[in-house]
Amino acid sequence: MMSGMWKTGALFLALVLWSAPALMPEGTGSGAAYAAVDTFEFETDEQQRRFRRMSDEFRCPMCQNTSLTGSNGGVAEDLRREIYLMIMDGKTDEEIEQFMFERYGDFVFYRPRLMWQTLLLWFGPLLFLLLGGWIIVGIVRRAQQNKVQEQVVLNEEEQARLRKLLDTVKDSD
Amino acid sequence: MSRLKLFIPVFVFLAMAVMLWRGLYLDPRTLPSVLIDKPLPEFALPTVELGDRVMGKADLPDEPFLLNVWGSYCLPCLQENPILMAAAEKNVVPIVGVNYKDKLNLAQAWLDDNGSPFEFSILDENGRLGIDLGVYGAPETFVVDGQGVIRYKHIGVIDYKAWDEEIMPAVEQVRAEAGQ
């Protein structure tokens, strides 16, 4: 009984750890090769970091499966330039995201914005985790119930019946 | 109840199959434009045809017109040119060009070679107007109403089917709404 509970717990924990990256999307993980060499000069490291991060998180509208960083497409080049200019102009990340959204819509975000349409996208993994946990708990509970039933001790009346049945089998031999 | 439970995998499979089947026929290149029903962006740019004269939003037609994004490097633009030419010759609808990320001399040579369906072509050499229009590659065609509001966007080449079934119905609808 105890070991069953432990196993369930361990399994559940393993599932949680395994799916954790899906619950906390960090960057795009695209590891995009730096296809294009831009010669942008930044005043601070912070500006450069923001530029890198945003070029990684915006999707190239033309090539579709790469970020702005990884794309040599004409429009990607232009958009990198616009992002650079906006950063140097002192625009905030939110303002730059809004700029991109107004022109290219939700499509450009590799990290989807949290809206009711994207709720399933954001919390779907959590939903499946809970569903999986619920199913596992159900299976383990049922297995334990079966085990308990196996150990049922027969009362005297049932013992007598069992003996009688066994005897009939012997007789027929 | 437990009988029904046995069929859950089948239902899941069917649901997934239907979605994936549909996915086969979706065109991933058609992005919904967020600019539909938004006014055209402001601009101040020269044109391919008119020398140094700078054009702005006020110089655009004040009746429904097409805004066609093109470039001399763009093969599909060559493909749709006869359709636009025929429409321009018959004065079906005014067409304004946006010469997107091109070189002036190449654009002029292209128009000389193939004919120009455009009232004029706005020269967007660095693609800045293109960004404001949410353009990601020529050809793209906008149906704009007399107030300068974008009403429809067609991405990719205009063939006869697209012209008859998408572009012209959109123009007619905008005209009908303006007539009311």
Side-chain angles (χ1 to χ4, degrees), chain B residues 113-131:
Chain B
D113 287 349
N114 304 301
S116 170
F118 307 116
E119 311 273 310
F120 55 85
S121 274
I122 303 156
L123 193 59
D124 184 25
E125 255 187 296
N126 63 8
R128 187 59 184 78
L129 176 61
I131 289 179

Side-chain angles (χ1 to χ4, degrees), chain A residues 31-43:
Chain A
Y34 285 75
V37 182
D38 295 313
T39 50
F40 294 135
E41 302 262 338
F42 296 92
E43 286 160 8

Side-chain angles (χ1 to χ4, degrees), chain B residues 135-150:
Chain B
V135 165
Y136 55 88
E140 292 185 20
T141 306
F142 297 88
V143 176
V144 184
D145 70 16
Q147 282 73 50
V149 175
I150 296 168

Side-chain angles (χ1 to χ4, degrees), chain A residues 20-155:
Chain A
L23 297 174
M24 296 173 282
E26 206 38 71
T28 59
S30 61
Y34 285 75
V37 182
D38 295 313
T39 50
F40 294 135
E41 302 262 338
F42 296 92
E43 286 160 8
T44 65
D45 286 351
E46 170 66 12
Q47 286 172 340
Q48 185 161 7
R49 243 197 349 265
R50 286 174 61 207
F51 177 78
R52 281 268 174 83
R53 188 178 62 72
M54 278 192 276
S55 320
D56 269 345
E57 281 185 8
F58 288 128
R59 182 178 178 187
C60 168
M62 190 163 69
C63 1
Q64 308 227 336
N65 284 326
T66 46
S67 64
L68 291 183
T69 310
S71 167
N72 274 325
V75 70
E77 211 171 285
D78 291 352
L79 287 172
R80 283 198 301 267
R81 185 192 64 218
E82 285 309 312
I83 292 171
Y84 169 75
L85 291 174
M86 282 189 281
I87 288 175
M88 299 311 278
D89 205 27
K91 294 265 165 58
T92 64
D93 288 4
E94 288 73 31
E95 283 169 327
I96 296 173
E97 275 170 22
Q98 190 57 29
F99 174 93
M100 295 291 285
F101 174 75
E102 279 168 7
R103 286 157 184 79
Y104 294 96
D106 283 306
F107 177 86
V108 290
F109 297 112
Y110 260 134
R111 181 203 294 267
R113 309 215 287 188
L114 192 57
M115 305 176 296
W116 69 265
Q117 294 103 320
T118 59
L119 279 183
L120 198 62
L121 205 56
W122 274 95
F123 298 106
L126 186 68
L127 198 75
F128 281 111
L129 177 69
L130 293 176
L131 193 72
W134 181 63
I135 289 172
I136 289 173
V137 167
I139 289 171
V140 170
R141 278 226 182 112
R142 192 177 304 169
Q144 280 169 354
Q145 270 171 13
N146 287 346
K147 226 182 264 170
V148 170
Q149 278 169 3
E150 279 165 24
Q151 291 166 350
V152 162
V153 182
L154 301 181
N155 60 28

